[in-house]
Amino acid sequence: MKKSFQIWMQALKMEIREHRSSFLVYFILRLLVLIVLILQILNKNYENAFLCILTLFLFILPSFIQVSFKIELPKTLEVIMLLFIFAAEILGEISSFYIIFPMWDTVLHTLNGFLAAAIGFSLVDLLNNSSRLEFKLSPLFMALVAFSFSMTIGVLWEFFEFGMDQFMGMDMQKDTVIHSFQSVLLDTTKSNVPIHVKNIQDVIINGESLGVGGYLDIGLIDTMQDLLVNFIGAIIFCIFGYFYVKSRGKNHFASRFIPRKKRKNKDYLQILKNKQ
């Protein structure tokens, strides 16, 4: 058991170092996270320290997928995945980029929709090209499956954010200041007629002004915006993916993001096992 684990770890290290460009990005980002981790421990901010440890673990995820599932991730996809993790956890959460730059969350959710669609495409493409399965989908249906996969990932993430807010007391579904809304709960006749409230300038809570210049929407607008940009990102990639399959791999842009089956000479885990 111990020997198998050592072989697997050695294969993982070989996988991490395989692509020079992605390894350089991995090394730099890992170094930055370690520096942030030390600073957070010195400041006794253990929650952020945990996020740093989680980030270091997530950095290994692309290589873990390649070794465990014998899938080759294109260098571009691998680098973007590493940058995405760093941007979401270290810059977004610890450095408060989600608050400093209001579009930060929007950009990441758009990218998430794009990347998830790429992964969805690759899953169907691998099945399409498998000699073990009688499984064939047209390029249009492949695009539809990839789009559905991306949107499902987006919805599951919003479920996660909602759960963390409700049960862990966090605020992942960020609030939005609004100046009008409509609600049937304000209809005193109980006739299901929406009552419009307009020009809200302030809200009083426990006798004190909220001080945000309007009314707080607690997460709904943020959630719908996240799903909308996820939708846009998924649609964009599905268009590229459709023509990639249609031209059978001649679309070089899409090929930079679609994982493929690992070649035997790159299956480090199997190579190391054969040497034993």
Side-chain angles (χ1 to χ4, degrees), residues 112-124:
N112 176 73
F114 185 91
L115 296 179
I119 294 171
F121 241 104
S122 71
L123 293 175
V124 183

Side-chain angles (χ1 to χ4, degrees), residues 93 157-175 217-220 222-223 226:
E93 295 290 348
W157 178 255
E158 293 304 320
F159 285 167
F160 173 75
E161 287 190 349
F162 176 77
M164 295 300 287
D165 291 355
Q166 291 295 308
F167 303 113
M168 302 298 292
M170 300 182 70
D171 185 24
M172 298 186 71
Q173 294 178 303
K174 298 296 187 289
D175 305 333
D217 164 80
I218 52 174
L220 175 61
D222 176 74
T223 297
D226 290 346

Side-chain angles (χ1 to χ4, degrees), residues 220-234:
L220 175 61
I221 293 177
D222 176 74
T223 297
M224 296 311 298
Q225 286 178 343
D226 290 346
L227 291 176
L228 177 61
V229 295
N230 191 105
F231 171 88
I232 293 172

Side-chain angles (χ1 to χ4, degrees), residues 13 21 37 94 161 167 206 240 263:
K13 291 178 181 178
S21 56
L37 174 60
I94 297 178
E161 287 190 349
F167 303 113
N206 297 328
F240 285 108
R263 298 192 301 271

Side-chain angles (χ1 to χ4, degrees), residues 92-156:
E93 295 290 348
I94 297 178
S95 299
S96 301
F97 274 35
Y98 289 129
I99 306 301
I100 299 172
F101 304 103
M103 293 296 292
W104 194 258
D105 187 52
T106 300
V107 171
L108 291 182
H109 275 280
T110 306
L111 186 59
N112 176 73
F114 185 91
L115 296 179
I119 294 171
F121 241 104
S122 71
L123 293 175
V124 183
D125 198 38
L126 289 171
L127 290 174
N128 260 1
N129 296 323
S130 174
S131 58
R132 298 179 181 180
L133 296 174
E134 290 293 332
F135 186 90
K136 296 294 179 183
L137 286 180
S138 68
L140 182 60
F141 272 95
M142 288 182 68
L144 180 60
V145 171
F147 171 78
S148 300
F149 179 83
S150 177
M151 292 305 299
T152 299
I153 295 299
V155 170
L156 290 176

Side-chain angles (χ1 to χ4, degrees), residues 7-63:
I7 292 174
W8 190 90
M9 288 300 296
Q10 189 177 349
L12 185 63
K13 291 178 181 178
M14 293 172 68
E15 192 68 59
I16 291 174
R17 295 174 180 273
E18 180 185 355
H19 299 141
R20 184 176 298 178
S21 56
S22 60
F23 176 70
L24 180 61
V25 173
Y26 170 83
F27 179 79
I28 294 173
L29 294 182
R30 184 181 174 86
L31 181 62
L32 291 174
V33 173
L34 287 172
I35 293 172
V36 174
L37 174 60
I38 294 171
L39 291 175
Q40 296 305 316
I41 293 175
L42 292 177
N43 292 331
K44 297 182 179 181
N45 194 333
Y46 299 116
E47 182 177 342
N48 284 348
F50 170 76
L51 285 177
C52 291
I53 295 172
L54 176 62
T55 302
L56 292 174
F57 171 77
L58 291 176
F59 278 166
I60 305 175
L61 193 58
S63 298

